[in-house]
Amino acid sequence: MKEKSIIFFDIDGTLLTHEKQLPQSAKEAVFQLKKKGHEVAIATGRAPFMYEDLRKELEIDSYVSYNGQYVVFKGEVIYKNPLNILALERLAETALLNDHPIVYMDHEDMKANVVEHAFIQESIQTLKIGRFPTHDPLYYKGRDLFQSLLFCQEGEEKQYEEIFEDFDFVRWHPLSVDVLPKGGSKARGIAKMTEKLGIAKSNQYAFGDGENDMEMLTAIYNSVAMGNAEDHIKAAAKYVTKSVDEDGIVHGLQMVGLL
């Protein structure tokens, strides 16, 4: 058996197909890894409440949520990196002047600062999570928020990047960007977990396909980009596997010698 390793999997486009289905081969691979004694964790831009069913199905209780801002190991929160609330309030006020709504997100729920907006509906429905944010423009008050969603068309986030230095803006949909604490990333969240476990860099693996996986794929020693990733994301990884629709998880794990 190989020395104990930890493997981090992105969700959308990595574990789940673009139709948000979990391939049976990927599910079986996760259980094989655990049977071999390895740690398996999720690393995603999603909120914890957006993939509870997936965690239950895969029996995974360690995860890096919100692109690294909320980290849980074996059901215990080990790291939190909330947004600057005063800066977020200013961002929301400015964005509304441009008809760009905001969704506030903590570890339990998400609330929009507008009653409804076509951009929110269109982008959130692509996640197929069965829920949409309800209206609460003051949800940011008195609580830790780990990520927000800013809804605007591609390129329009540039005006906010120039003004709001407390945040990073990472696009995940043509109509929406993640708003993260400056310097926050999956790579930083993963580091908090691997430091706790004391697992050597050579025994750390990560699979991803999206823009928000770039830091993770660059930082993790054994990084694997999915075949469905764009070329610049593939270039950031050590390995490139097949597409998520072509049993890419199994192929990648075999490629790196874990299966």
Side-chain angles (χ1 to χ4, degrees):
M1 179 187 131
K2 279 181 72 75
E3 189 177 345
K4 182 175 181 176
S5 297
I6 186 165
I7 305 95
F8 293 90
F9 292 105
D10 169 54
I11 294 180
D12 299 289
T14 301
L15 279 177
L16 298 186
T17 67
H18 300 297
E19 289 73 41
K20 307 307 177 189
Q21 299 297 313
L22 174 67
Q24 183 63 26
S25 62
K27 180 177 179 177
E28 291 173 359
V30 166
F31 282 96
Q32 287 179 46
L33 289 172
K34 293 196 287 186
K35 189 174 181 179
K36 287 174 176 283
H38 299 307
E39 294 285 352
V40 180
I42 286 172
T44 180
R46 290 188 180 214
F49 56 82
M50 290 182 174
Y51 58 102
E52 286 178 286
D53 290 346
L54 181 63
R55 296 203 305 273
K56 288 176 182 175
E57 184 172 0
L58 295 177
E59 297 178 16
I60 292 175
D61 55 5
S62 299
Y63 49 92
V64 175
S65 279
Y66 285 135
N67 292 307
Q69 316 320 307
Y70 189 83
V71 181
V72 171
F73 178 70
K74 301 293 187 186
E76 175 192 355
V77 180
I78 62 170
Y79 176 68
K80 296 194 293 185
N81 184 32
L83 293 162
N84 179 322
I85 294 300
L86 290 178
L88 183 62
E89 186 176 22
R90 292 196 302 272
L91 171 63
E93 291 171 352
T94 304
L96 277 180
L97 296 175
N98 299 317
D99 190 31
H100 293 159
I102 293 271
V103 164
Y104 305 115
M105 310 174 81
D106 64 3
H107 62 294
E108 295 178 323
D109 207 351
M110 56 181 173
K111 301 288 185 179
N113 67 345
V114 296
V115 175
E116 61 180 21
H117 196 285
F119 286 8
I120 296 178
Q121 292 292 118
E122 186 172 336
S123 55
I124 296 292
Q125 73 180 359
T126 65
L127 297 173
K128 298 186 178 180
I129 56 175
R131 65 191 286 184
F132 289 88
T134 52
H135 181 226
D136 185 350
L138 301 180
Y139 194 69
Y140 65 89
K141 290 184 177 289
R143 70 181 74 240
D144 284 341
L145 301 179
F146 303 103
Q147 186 169 285
S148 284
L149 303 178
L150 170 66
F151 297 85
C152 60
Q153 297 189 62
E154 292 185 77
E156 292 183 324
E157 68 273 21
K158 299 297 183 185
Q159 59 188 302
Y160 304 111
E161 291 173 354
E162 294 171 1
I163 301 172
F164 296 96
E165 298 179 352
D166 291 280
F167 305 131
D168 284 332
F169 298 84
V170 182
R171 186 162 290 278
W172 66 274
H173 185 275
L175 298 175
S176 184
V177 294
D178 294 327
V179 181
L180 306 173
K182 191 72 174 180
S185 69
K186 290 185 183 182
R188 181 178 288 187
I190 285 172
K192 298 298 180 181
M193 191 180 296
T194 55
E195 287 165 10
K196 179 179 177 66
L197 292 174
I199 293 179
K201 290 185 182 298
S202 58
N203 291 327
Q204 297 174 21
Y205 298 78
F207 285 68
D209 75 301
E211 203 68 45
N212 63 342
D213 295 317
M214 284 289 288
E215 292 88 351
M216 175 178 79
L217 294 175
T218 302
I220 298 302
Y221 185 80
N222 300 293
S223 59
V224 184
M226 304 300 290
N228 43 277
E230 293 185 11
D231 288 344
H232 69 287
I233 294 168
K234 292 177 181 176
K238 187 173 182 179
Y239 304 95
V240 177
T241 184
K242 295 180 180 180
S243 157
V244 61
D245 296 307
E246 300 173 313
D247 298 324
I249 294 294
V250 173
H251 180 77
L253 290 169
Q254 292 171 340
M255 183 188 306
V256 300
L258 287 172
L259 290 182

